[in-house]
Amino acid sequence: MKIIIDTDPGQDDALTILLALASPEIELLGVTTVAGNVPLAQTTENALKTLDLAGRPDIPVHAGADRPLLRPGVTATHVHGRTGFEGVDLPPPGRPATPGHAVDFIIRTVMDNPPGAITLCTIGPLTNIALALAREPRLRERIGRIVMMGCAFSEVGNITPAAEFNVYVDPHAAEMVFASGVPIVVFPLDVTHQLHTSAARLERIAAIPNRIGPVVAAWLRFEKRFEATKYGTDGGPLHDPNTVVWLLKPELYRGRQVNVQIETGSPLTMGMSVVDWWGVGTAPPNAVFMREVDVEGVYDLVVERLSRF
């Protein structure tokens, strides 16, 4: 599977990249960065650090949008720390970002491959993807699918009472993506909030006998402290890695085809994902929306893949 990961690293974004690199079923063509968890310069540096950690300086990293389409930027430094990589002190990256804008890289890569060949794994705000679709409308028929961490239904919001963070940061971009007609698979908070990074699960990761396992465990211990306190759980949710885990073992998840629309007009519910789970509306389905997950199966796969480094 040929994929591009569009991301705003973030500790669990880095885990997503590492899982892709550890999986021979996946060919990671490049990483594109966007402002989100931390500002763009920092997300780009963190992506480069992740690839250095994995020993993969051959993977291009293209910096993308430094702000949302229409709204002021929002970060999640209260969760991820100032750098987005708090928990482990990694050395500076050994190279700069690859020349060229992320949007140009996405367009060129999709258009240079056969229709349907490229999967976009989007684990941050959707600004780069919306810009690419606007710049090159033919992408709508060329992208194989978008596998997305974002949205919420029964779990409502994690950055406002109504909205999930990735969608809230750039709701207008999310609105464009869901209206594009590209096949979309969504991993919302309804899934990620079942995947607690418990002390026992982090110990399994920390015990992996290579450098990667202890780094990932330390990252997640830091990142998930805030959410564990907020939700009163043993560990916080595991968000972004579900995109790559699903590519590897889709049988670990269950969902259904639904219509998803994004609220962009109301200050109270800005960024809310309106999910027609029961089919009561008239709009046709535009996404597969996941709701159920085999929790232990996900963590077993994470440990097995990280052990390959």
Side-chain angles (χ1 to χ4, degrees):
M1 294 173 280
K2 294 183 177 182
I3 75 170
I4 296 169
I5 295 180
D6 188 71
T7 177
D8 59 340
Q11 292 94 339
D12 64 344
D13 302 71
L15 172 54
T16 309
I17 295 169
L18 293 169
L19 290 174
L21 293 172
S23 300
E25 303 95 326
I26 288 174
E27 181 183 0
L28 179 57
L29 300 179
V31 174
T32 53
T33 59
V34 64
N37 287 322
V38 289
L40 178 69
Q42 191 67 64
T43 65
T44 305
E45 179 178 316
N46 291 350
L48 291 164
K49 286 181 174 181
T50 302
L51 293 165
D52 283 355
L53 176 68
R56 292 299 304 271
D58 56 302
I59 304 291
V61 174
H62 291 270
D66 63 356
R67 60 189 183 277
L69 296 179
L70 299 175
R71 288 164 49 81
V74 178
T75 66
T77 54
H78 61 291
V79 177
H80 297 273
R82 180 184 59 82
T83 69
F85 266 15
E86 306 298 325
V88 177
D89 187 18
L90 293 178
R95 58 176 170 133
T98 311
H101 197 280
V103 170
D104 295 324
F105 173 75
I106 291 168
I107 293 171
R108 182 175 68 252
T109 304
V110 172
M111 297 304 295
D112 285 350
N113 279 272
I118 305 298
T119 292
L120 304 181
C121 286
T122 65
I123 54 177
L126 290 162
T127 316
N128 287 336
I129 311 307
L131 288 169
L133 289 165
R135 285 267 313 276
E136 177 49 88
R138 291 178 296 171
L139 290 184
R140 298 165 189 261
E141 287 76 45
R142 303 281 297 201
I143 297 169
R145 58 193 166 188
I146 294 171
V147 183
M148 171 193 308
M149 189 278 129
C151 300
F153 177 47
S154 62
E155 289 292 316
V156 292
N158 66 349
I159 186 67
T160 73
E164 179 274 329
F165 177 81
N166 284 344
V167 173
Y168 178 77
V169 171
D170 198 342
H172 300 90
E175 180 183 44
M176 291 172 64
V177 171
F178 277 103
S180 70
V182 176
I184 300 173
V185 182
V186 182
F187 293 89
L189 300 184
D190 306 67
V191 167
T192 69
H193 281 195
Q194 299 176 52
L195 289 156
H196 300 142
T197 56
S198 67
R201 290 170 184 149
L202 292 186
E203 282 302 319
R204 285 186 68 194
I205 295 172
I208 294 171
N210 59 26
R211 187 178 178 214
I212 302 293
V215 167
V216 169
W219 270 335
L220 294 180
R221 283 196 185 100
F222 180 94
E223 178 193 351
K224 303 308 176 183
R225 290 184 304 178
F226 174 84
E227 292 173 308
T229 301
K230 178 169 70 171
Y231 298 120
T233 52
D234 181 8
L238 188 69
H239 298 294
D240 298 336
N242 289 283
T243 54
V244 167
V245 172
W246 179 79
L247 289 174
L248 299 171
K249 292 194 76 172
E251 64 270 22
L252 295 176
Y253 300 89
R254 291 182 62 188
R256 66 172 67 159
Q257 291 268 0
V258 300
N259 181 267
V260 179
Q261 298 187 50
I262 306 301
E263 176 60 62
T264 59
S266 166
L268 182 63
T269 57
M270 179 66 71
M272 180 178 181
S273 42
V274 181
V275 180
D276 188 10
W277 184 257
W278 300 113
V280 296
T282 58
N286 59 356
V288 176
F289 196 88
M290 297 297 178
R291 292 285 301 282
E292 300 176 40
V293 57
D294 177 347
V295 174
E296 295 308 325
V298 169
Y299 279 99
D300 286 345
L301 183 64
V302 167
V303 171
E304 187 272 322
R305 292 303 164 117
L306 294 183
S307 298
R308 296 185 178 200
F309 282 101

